[in-house]
Amino acid sequence: MQKIKVHLVKPRKQKTVIYEGVILVQEPGHLLVQARWERAAMDLGYVVFTPGDHFFEHYYTERWYNIFEVRSAAGDLKGWYCNITRPAIFGDEVLTSEDLELDLFVAPDRRHLLRLDLEEFEALALQVTEPEAYKAALQALHELEEMARRGMSPFDKD
């Protein structure tokens, strides 16, 4: 299995989160990367990430989002954390994903969908500076919600 570095670029916060992952699947337009949560526990109010959690991260080079399937160290599904992003870029063993602030959390039952960080997304002012990116981001959010409600891959696991 190929080890890579994942760079989650957060321009608004002027920071890049860098961590290591392993490519499980590499196919045209899609990479599935496995990573582990190695930081301190983080309680987001609707899910808690704890050390040892497994993240199965779906990145797409032609879609405006990524999807993280989050499982406990014991394998229990905690839900899916979805980031609205620019299409991922992969090369030289580095995967880069630029976050557009807008997120979606899908509970394991797929009935509870939580839109997150709408204000931060609007503060980017993409509707003025990059109207096509703004439209693509909102379209990506709707696509993710529909995929989750219908139990489409990767939202088809328990």
Side-chain angles (χ1 to χ4, degrees):
M1 287 190 258
Q2 181 183 357
K3 286 187 179 183
I4 63 167
K5 292 283 186 187
V6 178
H7 291 211
L8 300 181
V9 180
K10 301 179 175 285
R12 185 163 187 267
K13 297 174 181 156
Q14 296 182 332
K15 112 182 190 183
T16 299
V17 177
I18 301 172
Y19 57 93
E20 198 171 86
V22 175
I23 296 177
L24 299 179
V25 175
Q26 183 175 359
E27 56 195 10
H30 174 242
L31 282 135
L32 174 58
V33 175
Q34 182 180 10
R36 290 179 63 119
W37 185 264
E38 301 294 345
R39 297 172 165 206
M42 181 184 293
D43 186 346
L44 300 177
Y46 46 87
V47 67
V48 179
F49 299 151
T50 55
D53 281 353
H54 296 273
F55 281 62
F56 296 91
E57 304 177 356
H58 296 266
Y59 293 93
Y60 304 93
T61 59
E62 298 174 3
R63 299 184 193 179
W64 287 70
Y65 55 79
N66 58 45
I67 303 168
F68 295 177
E69 177 183 325
V70 183
R71 293 188 174 269
S72 70
D76 299 317
L77 180 64
K78 292 185 171 190
W80 294 269
Y81 197 96
C82 309
N83 297 285
I84 305 301
T85 65
R86 295 185 189 278
I89 299 168
F90 180 63
D92 297 327
E93 298 183 358
V94 175
L95 187 145
T96 304
S97 180
E98 183 182 333
D99 186 34
L100 295 178
E101 304 298 338
L102 187 56
D103 301 314
L104 177 71
F105 181 75
V106 179
D109 66 8
R110 294 188 308 269
R111 287 181 286 183
H112 296 88
L113 282 64
L114 182 61
R115 289 181 173 192
L116 303 163
D117 304 326
L118 292 164
E119 302 81 22
E120 291 180 29
F121 171 69
E122 292 297 339
L124 293 175
L126 293 176
Q127 68 272 33
V128 175
T129 61
E130 294 183 72
E132 291 301 316
Y134 181 79
K135 181 180 172 184
L138 292 178
Q139 191 171 345
L141 177 63
H142 294 298
E143 182 179 334
L144 286 166
E145 290 172 332
E146 185 64 21
M147 289 169 62
R149 286 189 187 104
R150 295 171 120 193
M152 297 170 65
S153 181
F155 299 104
D156 57 348
K157 299 184 177 60
D158 292 326

